[in-house]
Amino acid sequence: MKLDIRGLSKAFDEKKVLSDISLHLDGIRSLVIIGPSGGGKSTFLRILAGLLVPEAGEVIINGKPIPTEESSLREYRKTMGMVFQSYNLFPHMTAVENIMLPLVHVHGYGQEEAREHAMGLLARFQLSLHAEKKPALLSGGQKQRVAIARAVAVSPSFLLFDEPTSALDPEFTSEVLDVIEELREEGKDLILVTHEMGFARIVSDYALFLDEGTVAAAGTPEEIFDYPAEERLRLFLAKVLKY
Amino acid sequence: MTKKWFNCFLRESDREAPSPCPSTLLNAFLVALFILLIFIFSFSRLEYDFHWAGVWAYRAKFIRGLGMTLVLSFFSLIVSFLLRSLFALGQKSRFLPFYFFSRFYVEIIRGTPLLVQILVFFYVIADAFRVQNRYVTGVMILSLFAGAYISEIIRAGIDSIGETQLETARSLGLTRFQQYRFIIFPQVFKRILPPLAGQLVSLIKDSSLLSIISVSEFTLNAQEVNAYTYSTLESYLPLALGYLLITYPISNLSKRLERAFSYET
């Protein structure tokens, strides 16, 4: 994945959330973003997802700039897959219907074809038994895996994860992280915001530390996690790794 | 020993031991008996001679009135639902005149008595616009009235769909229309069915006020029978019973719907 960001800024009601971020990355397979709450991680990811439009600057992914017009943004969103912190499955649809919805209504699959494809993915994530259950009957880990299956189903050119394990009970964390690790090994490009430092260390081949709306530190996992040079990053890691 | 029987009168969750008797039946019977005794006592003190025969002769009139009440309420519900779906969207509208009109309308209708609304609408507005048919006017007034409440129900329903669901829908590439069709409406519809059924119950009772503009519904027919026979209680007691016969099944249904859909969230 090639990521080119120039002068990216975003504010909500006068409050600057991202200020003038520039970044050039090439040949990255998995990018991990860490940082304190309110540091701009989620906003950054939402801009990459085409859900928020920045005030200034531009983002070019794999040579294509992210559009700013709603109609072309919608086309852009079809090409990526996003997984949210709170699963965000639609509560009135079963697991398999959740996966089928974008396939049928956004990507032009037939009903049968979509069902077959969705069932295949559920089988792969050991969720076949739960295909006809509504989200209320699934555990947090199962819901998040269904959400990942939904994002993967449309064969996106890359995947975005917004703290995919933060809302989970600890016992379910590893089953979700296993799936993400598996996708990475398969060669899917991914960008991941996470508080799981151990996992971030293993899965990333490049990491960003976002603090107060800027990229306070960036580098390989060794540079970020093993030999942090930047003072704020050191403090942050000391805090999250204390216990 | 007495303690054991005491469990008959407790909720299932509060019982220390299983109830030794059919609790629901027993308690319902006791309450019914109590109410009945109050009524029997009150009526016995009344020194009133019931003349059911005179009223019985007009039974067809009661049934026609009841039918008309049902028809009026049903049409009012449909019309108000259609109109109000628009207004619920209006309150979320970015176009300010539409927004203010919606807010104004809801506040005025909810803050003034239906009786006054009926009089003003029928004798002033409908008259000025030359709408002669009092049944059409009646449905219009009831629709406007119920609509103010229904629009609040719908708006609350739409608001109850979390922002995160809509963000997810956008991230999947759904259009705005598809978001409403596949995500918002199916959930809103299920959530508002119970309060909507409750609103229908109120609507049926409120329609009795249309009697003041001589719409020949249930209440007006009872009033007329009273005027013909001079048998006030004999005319109005069947009226109460008739309303209860329609409203009880509906409110019962609404409670069942509420339970059926509650697992969703």
Side-chain angles (χ1 to χ4, degrees), chain A residues 46 51 74 77 80 84 88 90-93 101 105-106 134 136 150, chain B residues 164-165 167-168 170-175 178 182-183 186-187 263-264:
Chain A
R46 274 170 175 69
L51 291 170
R74 205 174 70 76
R77 289 185 205 122
M80 59 94 213
F84 295 87
N88 293 4
F90 300 119
H92 59 303
M93 296 179 183
L101 178 80
H105 297 289
V106 179
K134 293 203 172 153
R150 180 174 64 185
Chain B
T164 54
Q165 280 197 47
E167 187 175 47
T168 309
R170 284 170 63 220
S171 82
L172 294 172
L174 266 64
T175 63
Q178 286 175 325
F182 298 116
I183 312 300
Q187 294 184 75
Y263 75 96
E264 292 270 354

PDB file of all heavy atoms in Angstrom, chain A residues 46 51 74 77 80 84 88 90-93 101 105-106 134 136 150, chain B residues 164-165 167-168 170-175 178 182-183 186-187 263-264:
ATOM      1  N   ARG A  46     -11.192   7.899  10.081  1.00  0.00           N
ATOM      2  CA  ARG A  46     -12.449   8.202   9.390  1.00  0.00           C
ATOM      3  C   ARG A  46     -12.214   8.996   8.114  1.00  0.00           C
ATOM      4  O   ARG A  46     -12.991   8.910   7.169  1.00  0.00           O
ATOM      5  CB  ARG A  46     -13.407   8.935  10.335  1.00  0.00           C
ATOM      6  CG  ARG A  46     -14.206   7.959  11.162  1.00  0.00           C
ATOM      7  CD  ARG A  46     -14.992   8.613  12.272  1.00  0.00           C
ATOM      8  NE  ARG A  46     -15.813   7.619  12.946  1.00  0.00           N
ATOM      9  CZ  ARG A  46     -15.330   6.640  13.704  1.00  0.00           C
ATOM     10  NH1 ARG A  46     -14.035   6.538  13.895  1.00  0.00           N
ATOM     11  NH2 ARG A  46     -16.133   5.764  14.259  1.00  0.00           N
ATOM     12  N   LEU A  51     -15.315   8.838   5.476  1.00  0.00           N
ATOM     13  CA  LEU A  51     -16.502   9.171   6.271  1.00  0.00           C
ATOM     14  C   LEU A  51     -16.468  10.617   6.742  1.00  0.00           C
ATOM     15  O   LEU A  51     -17.487  11.185   7.096  1.00  0.00           O
ATOM     16  CB  LEU A  51     -16.597   8.243   7.487  1.00  0.00           C
ATOM     17  CG  LEU A  51     -16.915   6.782   7.164  1.00  0.00           C
ATOM     18  CD1 LEU A  51     -16.734   5.910   8.397  1.00  0.00           C
ATOM     19  CD2 LEU A  51     -18.319   6.631   6.618  1.00  0.00           C
ATOM     20  N   ARG A  74     -18.876   8.039  -2.088  1.00  0.00           N
ATOM     21  CA  ARG A  74     -19.598   6.774  -1.945  1.00  0.00           C
ATOM     22  C   ARG A  74     -18.933   5.686  -2.781  1.00  0.00           C
ATOM     23  O   ARG A  74     -18.779   4.549  -2.334  1.00  0.00           O
ATOM     24  CB  ARG A  74     -21.059   6.950  -2.350  1.00  0.00           C
ATOM     25  CG  ARG A  74     -21.987   5.944  -1.711  1.00  0.00           C
ATOM     26  CD  ARG A  74     -23.422   6.263  -2.038  1.00  0.00           C
ATOM     27  NE  ARG A  74     -23.725   6.014  -3.432  1.00  0.00           N
ATOM     28  CZ  ARG A  74     -23.914   4.806  -3.943  1.00  0.00           C
ATOM     29  NH1 ARG A  74     -23.858   3.753  -3.179  1.00  0.00           N
ATOM     30  NH2 ARG A  74     -24.179   4.662  -5.222  1.00  0.00           N
ATOM     31  N   ARG A  77     -15.890   4.618  -0.887  1.00  0.00           N
ATOM     32  CA  ARG A  77     -16.147   3.776   0.294  1.00  0.00           C
ATOM     33  C   ARG A  77     -16.361   2.320  -0.083  1.00  0.00           C
ATOM     34  O   ARG A  77     -16.082   1.425   0.697  1.00  0.00           O
ATOM     35  CB  ARG A  77     -17.372   4.285   1.049  1.00  0.00           C
ATOM     36  CG  ARG A  77     -17.142   5.584   1.773  1.00  0.00           C
ATOM     37  CD  ARG A  77     -18.360   5.971   2.590  1.00  0.00           C
ATOM     38  NE  ARG A  77     -18.402   7.404   2.793  1.00  0.00           N
ATOM     39  CZ  ARG A  77     -19.411   8.181   2.413  1.00  0.00           C
ATOM     40  NH1 ARG A  77     -20.479   7.666   1.828  1.00  0.00           N
ATOM     41  NH2 ARG A  77     -19.355   9.482   2.613  1.00  0.00           N
ATOM     42  N   MET A  80     -13.189   0.074   0.154  1.00  0.00           N
ATOM     43  CA  MET A  80     -12.464  -0.265   1.379  1.00  0.00           C
ATOM     44  C   MET A  80     -13.411  -0.939   2.366  1.00  0.00           C
ATOM     45  O   MET A  80     -14.618  -0.895   2.211  1.00  0.00           O
ATOM     46  CB  MET A  80     -11.807   0.989   1.969  1.00  0.00           C
ATOM     47  CG  MET A  80     -12.755   2.108   2.329  1.00  0.00           C
ATOM     48  SD  MET A  80     -13.208   1.992   4.052  1.00  0.00           S
ATOM     49  CE  MET A  80     -14.873   2.608   4.007  1.00  0.00           C
ATOM     50  N   PHE A  84     -15.567  -1.341  13.083  1.00  0.00           N
ATOM     51  CA  PHE A  84     -15.671  -0.345  14.140  1.00  0.00           C
ATOM     52  C   PHE A  84     -15.470  -0.962  15.515  1.00  0.00           C
ATOM     53  O   PHE A  84     -15.566  -2.170  15.701  1.00  0.00           O
ATOM     54  CB  PHE A  84     -17.053   0.320  14.093  1.00  0.00           C
ATOM     55  CG  PHE A  84     -17.297   1.123  12.856  1.00  0.00           C
ATOM     56  CD1 PHE A  84     -17.796   0.522  11.708  1.00  0.00           C
ATOM     57  CD2 PHE A  84     -17.026   2.476  12.822  1.00  0.00           C
ATOM     58  CE1 PHE A  84     -18.034   1.255  10.565  1.00  0.00           C
ATOM     59  CE2 PHE A  84     -17.262   3.214  11.678  1.00  0.00           C
ATOM     60  CZ  PHE A  84     -17.757   2.606  10.550  1.00  0.00           C
ATOM     61  N   ASN A  88     -21.119  -2.670  15.470  1.00  0.00           N
ATOM     62  CA  ASN A  88     -22.019  -2.028  14.518  1.00  0.00           C
ATOM     63  C   ASN A  88     -22.674  -2.964  13.528  1.00  0.00           C
ATOM     64  O   ASN A  88     -22.837  -2.633  12.366  1.00  0.00           O
ATOM     65  CB  ASN A  88     -21.287  -0.928  13.749  1.00  0.00           C
ATOM     66  CG  ASN A  88     -20.922   0.211  14.674  1.00  0.00           C
ATOM     67  OD1 ASN A  88     -21.163   0.118  15.882  1.00  0.00           O
ATOM     68  ND2 ASN A  88     -20.375   1.261  14.131  1.00  0.00           N
ATOM     69  N   PHE A  90     -26.070  -4.579  12.153  1.00  0.00           N
ATOM     70  CA  PHE A  90     -27.441  -4.075  12.178  1.00  0.00           C
ATOM     71  C   PHE A  90     -28.293  -5.044  12.990  1.00  0.00           C
ATOM     72  O   PHE A  90     -28.375  -6.219  12.668  1.00  0.00           O
ATOM     73  CB  PHE A  90     -27.966  -3.909  10.755  1.00  0.00           C
ATOM     74  CG  PHE A  90     -27.127  -2.946   9.968  1.00  0.00           C
ATOM     75  CD1 PHE A  90     -26.455  -3.345   8.824  1.00  0.00           C
ATOM     76  CD2 PHE A  90     -26.975  -1.639  10.396  1.00  0.00           C
ATOM     77  CE1 PHE A  90     -25.661  -2.456   8.125  1.00  0.00           C
ATOM     78  CE2 PHE A  90     -26.186  -0.749   9.702  1.00  0.00           C
ATOM     79  CZ  PHE A  90     -25.529  -1.155   8.566  1.00  0.00           C
ATOM     80  N   PRO A  91     -28.932  -4.550  14.080  1.00  0.00           N
ATOM     81  CA  PRO A  91     -29.552  -5.451  15.047  1.00  0.00           C
ATOM     82  C   PRO A  91     -30.783  -6.189  14.523  1.00  0.00           C
ATOM     83  O   PRO A  91     -31.169  -7.206  15.090  1.00  0.00           O
ATOM     84  CB  PRO A  91     -29.942  -4.522  16.205  1.00  0.00           C
ATOM     85  CG  PRO A  91     -30.004  -3.166  15.608  1.00  0.00           C
ATOM     86  CD  PRO A  91     -29.018  -3.136  14.488  1.00  0.00           C
ATOM     87  N   HIS A  92     -31.394  -5.677  13.446  1.00  0.00           N
ATOM     88  CA  HIS A  92     -32.608  -6.326  12.956  1.00  0.00           C
ATOM     89  C   HIS A  92     -32.308  -7.381  11.894  1.00  0.00           C
ATOM     90  O   HIS A  92     -33.228  -7.969  11.334  1.00  0.00           O
ATOM     91  CB  HIS A  92     -33.586  -5.285  12.409  1.00  0.00           C
ATOM     92  CG  HIS A  92     -33.018  -4.465  11.279  1.00  0.00           C
ATOM     93  ND1 HIS A  92     -31.862  -3.739  11.402  1.00  0.00           N
ATOM     94  CD2 HIS A  92     -33.438  -4.276  10.017  1.00  0.00           C
ATOM     95  CE1 HIS A  92     -31.603  -3.132  10.254  1.00  0.00           C
ATOM     96  NE2 HIS A  92     -32.545  -3.443   9.406  1.00  0.00           N
ATOM     97  N   MET A  93     -31.039  -7.607  11.603  1.00  0.00           N
ATOM     98  CA  MET A  93     -30.680  -8.593  10.583  1.00  0.00           C
ATOM     99  C   MET A  93     -29.837  -9.700  11.211  1.00  0.00           C
ATOM    100  O   MET A  93     -29.066  -9.457  12.139  1.00  0.00           O
ATOM    101  CB  MET A  93     -29.844  -7.930   9.496  1.00  0.00           C
ATOM    102  CG  MET A  93     -30.571  -6.861   8.729  1.00  0.00           C
ATOM    103  SD  MET A  93     -29.429  -6.167   7.515  1.00  0.00           S
ATOM    104  CE  MET A  93     -30.488  -4.913   6.829  1.00  0.00           C
ATOM    105  N   LEU A 101     -26.035  -7.805   2.961  1.00  0.00           N
ATOM    106  CA  LEU A 101     -26.605  -6.492   2.619  1.00  0.00           C
ATOM    107  C   LEU A 101     -25.741  -5.685   1.638  1.00  0.00           C
ATOM    108  O   LEU A 101     -26.221  -5.311   0.566  1.00  0.00           O
ATOM    109  CB  LEU A 101     -26.891  -5.700   3.902  1.00  0.00           C
ATOM    110  CG  LEU A 101     -27.437  -4.280   3.669  1.00  0.00           C
ATOM    111  CD1 LEU A 101     -28.924  -4.305   3.360  1.00  0.00           C
ATOM    112  CD2 LEU A 101     -27.178  -3.382   4.865  1.00  0.00           C
ATOM    113  N   HIS A 105     -26.855  -5.072  -2.291  1.00  0.00           N
ATOM    114  CA  HIS A 105     -27.374  -3.742  -2.623  1.00  0.00           C
ATOM    115  C   HIS A 105     -26.313  -2.730  -3.021  1.00  0.00           C
ATOM    116  O   HIS A 105     -26.636  -1.668  -3.512  1.00  0.00           O
ATOM    117  CB  HIS A 105     -28.211  -3.211  -1.466  1.00  0.00           C
ATOM    118  CG  HIS A 105     -29.422  -4.059  -1.198  1.00  0.00           C
ATOM    119  ND1 HIS A 105     -30.494  -4.092  -2.065  1.00  0.00           N
ATOM    120  CD2 HIS A 105     -29.695  -4.936  -0.206  1.00  0.00           C
ATOM    121  CE1 HIS A 105     -31.394  -4.939  -1.588  1.00  0.00           C
ATOM    122  NE2 HIS A 105     -30.932  -5.465  -0.472  1.00  0.00           N
ATOM    123  N   VAL A 106     -25.050  -3.059  -2.777  1.00  0.00           N
ATOM    124  CA  VAL A 106     -24.006  -2.124  -3.175  1.00  0.00           C
ATOM    125  C   VAL A 106     -23.136  -2.711  -4.286  1.00  0.00           C
ATOM    126  O   VAL A 106     -22.724  -2.015  -5.199  1.00  0.00           O
ATOM    127  CB  VAL A 106     -23.130  -1.716  -1.967  1.00  0.00           C
ATOM    128  CG1 VAL A 106     -22.032  -0.757  -2.389  1.00  0.00           C
ATOM    129  CG2 VAL A 106     -23.990  -1.087  -0.872  1.00  0.00           C
ATOM    130  N   LYS A 134     -29.492 -13.351  15.279  1.00  0.00           N
ATOM    131  CA  LYS A 134     -29.364 -11.894  15.285  1.00  0.00           C
ATOM    132  C   LYS A 134     -28.252 -11.500  16.263  1.00  0.00           C
ATOM    133  O   LYS A 134     -27.940 -12.247  17.188  1.00  0.00           O
ATOM    134  CB  LYS A 134     -30.692 -11.265  15.707  1.00  0.00           C
ATOM    135  CG  LYS A 134     -31.750 -11.511  14.648  1.00  0.00           C
ATOM    136  CD  LYS A 134     -32.874 -10.515  14.705  1.00  0.00           C
ATOM    137  CE  LYS A 134     -33.773 -10.718  13.498  1.00  0.00           C
ATOM    138  NZ  LYS A 134     -35.144 -10.293  13.737  1.00  0.00           N
ATOM    139  N   ALA A 136     -28.005  -9.751  18.845  1.00  0.00           N
ATOM    140  CA  ALA A 136     -28.264  -9.789  20.285  1.00  0.00           C
ATOM    141  C   ALA A 136     -27.939 -11.159  20.880  1.00  0.00           C
ATOM    142  O   ALA A 136     -27.693 -11.277  22.079  1.00  0.00           O
ATOM    143  CB  ALA A 136     -29.719  -9.425  20.569  1.00  0.00           C
ATOM    144  N   ARG A 150     -18.027  -9.163   7.240  1.00  0.00           N
ATOM    145  CA  ARG A 150     -18.790  -8.240   6.400  1.00  0.00           C
ATOM    146  C   ARG A 150     -17.848  -7.286   5.655  1.00  0.00           C
ATOM    147  O   ARG A 150     -18.047  -6.986   4.478  1.00  0.00           O
ATOM    148  CB  ARG A 150     -19.771  -7.441   7.262  1.00  0.00           C
ATOM    149  CG  ARG A 150     -20.617  -6.462   6.470  1.00  0.00           C
ATOM    150  CD  ARG A 150     -21.660  -5.792   7.327  1.00  0.00           C
ATOM    151  NE  ARG A 150     -21.064  -4.960   8.372  1.00  0.00           N
ATOM    152  CZ  ARG A 150     -21.746  -4.339   9.327  1.00  0.00           C
ATOM    153  NH1 ARG A 150     -23.059  -4.477   9.380  1.00  0.00           N
ATOM    154  NH2 ARG A 150     -21.138  -3.611  10.241  1.00  0.00           N
TER     155      ARG A 150
ATOM    156  N   THR B 164     -24.055   5.520  15.105  1.00  0.00           N
ATOM    157  CA  THR B 164     -23.024   4.571  14.661  1.00  0.00           C
ATOM    158  C   THR B 164     -23.545   3.632  13.575  1.00  0.00           C
ATOM    159  O   THR B 164     -22.802   3.254  12.677  1.00  0.00           O
ATOM    160  CB  THR B 164     -22.530   3.714  15.842  1.00  0.00           C
ATOM    161  OG1 THR B 164     -23.648   3.112  16.467  1.00  0.00           O
ATOM    162  CG2 THR B 164     -21.773   4.543  16.850  1.00  0.00           C
ATOM    163  N   GLN B 165     -24.824   3.282  13.667  1.00  0.00           N
ATOM    164  CA  GLN B 165     -25.387   2.411  12.620  1.00  0.00           C
ATOM    165  C   GLN B 165     -25.381   3.113  11.272  1.00  0.00           C
ATOM    166  O   GLN B 165     -25.116   2.503  10.239  1.00  0.00           O
ATOM    167  CB  GLN B 165     -26.820   2.020  12.966  1.00  0.00           C
ATOM    168  CG  GLN B 165     -26.915   0.894  13.961  1.00  0.00           C
ATOM    169  CD  GLN B 165     -28.303   0.289  13.958  1.00  0.00           C
ATOM    170  OE1 GLN B 165     -28.859   0.001  12.898  1.00  0.00           O
ATOM    171  NE2 GLN B 165     -28.870   0.114  15.120  1.00  0.00           N
ATOM    172  N   GLU B 167     -23.376   5.520  10.380  1.00  0.00           N
ATOM    173  CA  GLU B 167     -21.991   5.644   9.932  1.00  0.00           C
ATOM    174  C   GLU B 167     -21.532   4.329   9.288  1.00  0.00           C
ATOM    175  O   GLU B 167     -20.872   4.326   8.244  1.00  0.00           O
ATOM    176  CB  GLU B 167     -21.096   6.000  11.116  1.00  0.00           C
ATOM    177  CG  GLU B 167     -19.679   6.320  10.695  1.00  0.00           C
ATOM    178  CD  GLU B 167     -18.814   6.783  11.847  1.00  0.00           C
ATOM    179  OE1 GLU B 167     -18.836   6.130  12.900  1.00  0.00           O
ATOM    180  OE2 GLU B 167     -18.102   7.787  11.675  1.00  0.00           O
ATOM    181  N   THR B 168     -21.909   3.220   9.923  1.00  0.00           N
ATOM    182  CA  THR B 168     -21.568   1.922   9.356  1.00  0.00           C
ATOM    183  C   THR B 168     -22.185   1.767   7.969  1.00  0.00           C
ATOM    184  O   THR B 168     -21.524   1.328   7.025  1.00  0.00           O
ATOM    185  CB  THR B 168     -22.094   0.784  10.264  1.00  0.00           C
ATOM    186  OG1 THR B 168     -21.664   1.031  11.587  1.00  0.00           O
ATOM    187  CG2 THR B 168     -21.589  -0.554   9.793  1.00  0.00           C
ATOM    188  N   ARG B 170     -22.987   4.027   5.902  1.00  0.00           N
ATOM    189  CA  ARG B 170     -22.256   4.847   4.932  1.00  0.00           C
ATOM    190  C   ARG B 170     -20.938   4.187   4.559  1.00  0.00           C
ATOM    191  O   ARG B 170     -20.549   4.163   3.401  1.00  0.00           O
ATOM    192  CB  ARG B 170     -21.983   6.241   5.523  1.00  0.00           C
ATOM    193  CG  ARG B 170     -23.197   7.141   5.526  1.00  0.00           C
ATOM    194  CD  ARG B 170     -22.933   8.398   6.327  1.00  0.00           C
ATOM    195  NE  ARG B 170     -21.872   9.207   5.740  1.00  0.00           N
ATOM    196  CZ  ARG B 170     -20.940   9.847   6.432  1.00  0.00           C
ATOM    197  NH1 ARG B 170     -20.909   9.759   7.743  1.00  0.00           N
ATOM    198  NH2 ARG B 170     -20.038  10.568   5.822  1.00  0.00           N
ATOM    199  N   SER B 171     -20.260   3.635   5.572  1.00  0.00           N
ATOM    200  CA  SER B 171     -18.955   3.031   5.291  1.00  0.00           C
ATOM    201  C   SER B 171     -19.092   1.839   4.347  1.00  0.00           C
ATOM    202  O   SER B 171     -18.154   1.488   3.650  1.00  0.00           O
ATOM    203  CB  SER B 171     -18.266   2.613   6.594  1.00  0.00           C
ATOM    204  OG  SER B 171     -18.746   1.366   7.035  1.00  0.00           O
ATOM    205  N   LEU B 172     -20.280   1.217   4.344  1.00  0.00           N
ATOM    206  CA  LEU B 172     -20.493   0.076   3.444  1.00  0.00           C
ATOM    207  C   LEU B 172     -20.860   0.537   2.041  1.00  0.00           C
ATOM    208  O   LEU B 172     -21.012  -0.271   1.144  1.00  0.00           O
ATOM    209  CB  LEU B 172     -21.605  -0.825   3.991  1.00  0.00           C
ATOM    210  CG  LEU B 172     -21.295  -1.538   5.310  1.00  0.00           C
ATOM    211  CD1 LEU B 172     -22.535  -2.232   5.843  1.00  0.00           C
ATOM    212  CD2 LEU B 172     -20.167  -2.537   5.124  1.00  0.00           C
ATOM    213  N   GLY B 173     -21.056   1.835   1.862  1.00  0.00           N
ATOM    214  CA  GLY B 173     -21.348   2.364   0.534  1.00  0.00           C
ATOM    215  C   GLY B 173     -22.831   2.477   0.229  1.00  0.00           C
ATOM    216  O   GLY B 173     -23.215   2.646  -0.924  1.00  0.00           O
ATOM    217  N   LEU B 174     -23.691   2.384   1.266  1.00  0.00           N
ATOM    218  CA  LEU B 174     -25.131   2.525   1.022  1.00  0.00           C
ATOM    219  C   LEU B 174     -25.479   3.983   0.721  1.00  0.00           C
ATOM    220  O   LEU B 174     -24.925   4.889   1.329  1.00  0.00           O
ATOM    221  CB  LEU B 174     -25.923   2.050   2.250  1.00  0.00           C
ATOM    222  CG  LEU B 174     -26.402   0.598   2.242  1.00  0.00           C
ATOM    223  CD1 LEU B 174     -25.221  -0.350   2.233  1.00  0.00           C
ATOM    224  CD2 LEU B 174     -27.270   0.304   3.450  1.00  0.00           C
ATOM    225  N   THR B 175     -26.433   4.193  -0.189  1.00  0.00           N
ATOM    226  CA  THR B 175     -26.899   5.554  -0.462  1.00  0.00           C
ATOM    227  C   THR B 175     -27.835   5.988   0.672  1.00  0.00           C
ATOM    228  O   THR B 175     -28.267   5.170   1.482  1.00  0.00           O
ATOM    229  CB  THR B 175     -27.698   5.630  -1.776  1.00  0.00           C
ATOM    230  OG1 THR B 175     -28.859   4.807  -1.626  1.00  0.00           O
ATOM    231  CG2 THR B 175     -26.880   5.140  -2.948  1.00  0.00           C
ATOM    232  N   GLN B 178     -31.001   4.098   0.526  1.00  0.00           N
ATOM    233  CA  GLN B 178     -30.834   2.716   1.006  1.00  0.00           C
ATOM    234  C   GLN B 178     -30.709   2.663   2.528  1.00  0.00           C
ATOM    235  O   GLN B 178     -31.184   1.707   3.152  1.00  0.00           O
ATOM    236  CB  GLN B 178     -29.591   2.089   0.372  1.00  0.00           C
ATOM    237  CG  GLN B 178     -29.785   1.720  -1.089  1.00  0.00           C
ATOM    238  CD  GLN B 178     -28.501   1.207  -1.724  1.00  0.00           C
ATOM    239  OE1 GLN B 178     -27.403   1.668  -1.391  1.00  0.00           O
ATOM    240  NE2 GLN B 178     -28.626   0.265  -2.629  1.00  0.00           N
ATOM    241  N   PHE B 182     -33.247   0.155   4.235  1.00  0.00           N
ATOM    242  CA  PHE B 182     -32.806  -1.119   4.810  1.00  0.00           C
ATOM    243  C   PHE B 182     -32.454  -1.030   6.287  1.00  0.00           C
ATOM    244  O   PHE B 182     -32.511  -2.022   7.002  1.00  0.00           O
ATOM    245  CB  PHE B 182     -31.584  -1.653   4.047  1.00  0.00           C
ATOM    246  CG  PHE B 182     -31.870  -1.931   2.606  1.00  0.00           C
ATOM    247  CD1 PHE B 182     -31.225  -1.221   1.608  1.00  0.00           C
ATOM    248  CD2 PHE B 182     -32.797  -2.900   2.258  1.00  0.00           C
ATOM    249  CE1 PHE B 182     -31.492  -1.477   0.278  1.00  0.00           C
ATOM    250  CE2 PHE B 182     -33.079  -3.157   0.929  1.00  0.00           C
ATOM    251  CZ  PHE B 182     -32.435  -2.438  -0.067  1.00  0.00           C
ATOM    252  N   ILE B 183     -32.063   0.143   6.741  1.00  0.00           N
ATOM    253  CA  ILE B 183     -31.593   0.257   8.125  1.00  0.00           C
ATOM    254  C   ILE B 183     -32.606   0.981   9.007  1.00  0.00           C
ATOM    255  O   ILE B 183     -33.011   0.471  10.052  1.00  0.00           O
ATOM    256  CB  ILE B 183     -30.236   1.011   8.194  1.00  0.00           C
ATOM    257  CG1 ILE B 183     -29.257   0.453   7.172  1.00  0.00           C
ATOM    258  CG2 ILE B 183     -29.669   0.962   9.608  1.00  0.00           C
ATOM    259  CD1 ILE B 183     -28.929  -1.002   7.336  1.00  0.00           C
ATOM    260  N   PRO B 186     -37.040  -0.277   8.691  1.00  0.00           N
ATOM    261  CA  PRO B 186     -37.425  -1.559   9.290  1.00  0.00           C
ATOM    262  C   PRO B 186     -37.353  -1.549  10.808  1.00  0.00           C
ATOM    263  O   PRO B 186     -38.215  -2.099  11.481  1.00  0.00           O
ATOM    264  CB  PRO B 186     -36.395  -2.544   8.723  1.00  0.00           C
ATOM    265  CG  PRO B 186     -35.828  -1.897   7.527  1.00  0.00           C
ATOM    266  CD  PRO B 186     -35.910  -0.425   7.758  1.00  0.00           C
ATOM    267  N   GLN B 187     -36.339  -0.874  11.362  1.00  0.00           N
ATOM    268  CA  GLN B 187     -36.206  -0.835  12.816  1.00  0.00           C
ATOM    269  C   GLN B 187     -37.196   0.137  13.444  1.00  0.00           C
ATOM    270  O   GLN B 187     -37.796  -0.164  14.469  1.00  0.00           O
ATOM    271  CB  GLN B 187     -34.787  -0.423  13.198  1.00  0.00           C
ATOM    272  CG  GLN B 187     -33.752  -1.445  12.799  1.00  0.00           C
ATOM    273  CD  GLN B 187     -32.363  -1.055  13.270  1.00  0.00           C
ATOM    274  OE1 GLN B 187     -32.044  -1.164  14.440  1.00  0.00           O
ATOM    275  NE2 GLN B 187     -31.545  -0.586  12.360  1.00  0.00           N
ATOM    276  N   TYR B 263     -36.570  -7.781  22.631  1.00  0.00           N
ATOM    277  CA  TYR B 263     -35.281  -8.487  22.618  1.00  0.00           C
ATOM    278  C   TYR B 263     -34.298  -7.821  21.656  1.00  0.00           C
ATOM    279  O   TYR B 263     -33.088  -7.977  21.783  1.00  0.00           O
ATOM    280  CB  TYR B 263     -35.456  -9.938  22.204  1.00  0.00           C
ATOM    281  CG  TYR B 263     -35.701 -10.114  20.733  1.00  0.00           C
ATOM    282  CD1 TYR B 263     -34.617 -10.406  19.896  1.00  0.00           C
ATOM    283  CD2 TYR B 263     -36.950  -9.958  20.180  1.00  0.00           C
ATOM    284  CE1 TYR B 263     -34.825 -10.535  18.542  1.00  0.00           C
ATOM    285  CE2 TYR B 263     -37.154 -10.070  18.841  1.00  0.00           C
ATOM    286  CZ  TYR B 263     -36.090 -10.375  18.021  1.00  0.00           C
ATOM    287  OH  TYR B 263     -36.280 -10.482  16.687  1.00  0.00           O
ATOM    288  N   GLU B 264     -34.828  -7.039  20.731  1.00  0.00           N
ATOM    289  CA  GLU B 264     -33.986  -6.457  19.674  1.00  0.00           C
ATOM    290  C   GLU B 264     -32.803  -5.671  20.216  1.00  0.00           C
ATOM    291  O   GLU B 264     -31.717  -5.736  19.680  1.00  0.00           O
ATOM    292  CB  GLU B 264     -34.824  -5.528  18.797  1.00  0.00           C
ATOM    293  CG  GLU B 264     -35.861  -6.253  17.971  1.00  0.00           C
ATOM    294  CD  GLU B 264     -35.323  -6.673  16.634  1.00  0.00           C
ATOM    295  OE1 GLU B 264     -34.190  -6.291  16.315  1.00  0.00           O
ATOM    296  OE2 GLU B 264     -36.028  -7.374  15.909  1.00  0.00           O
TER     297      GLU B 264
END
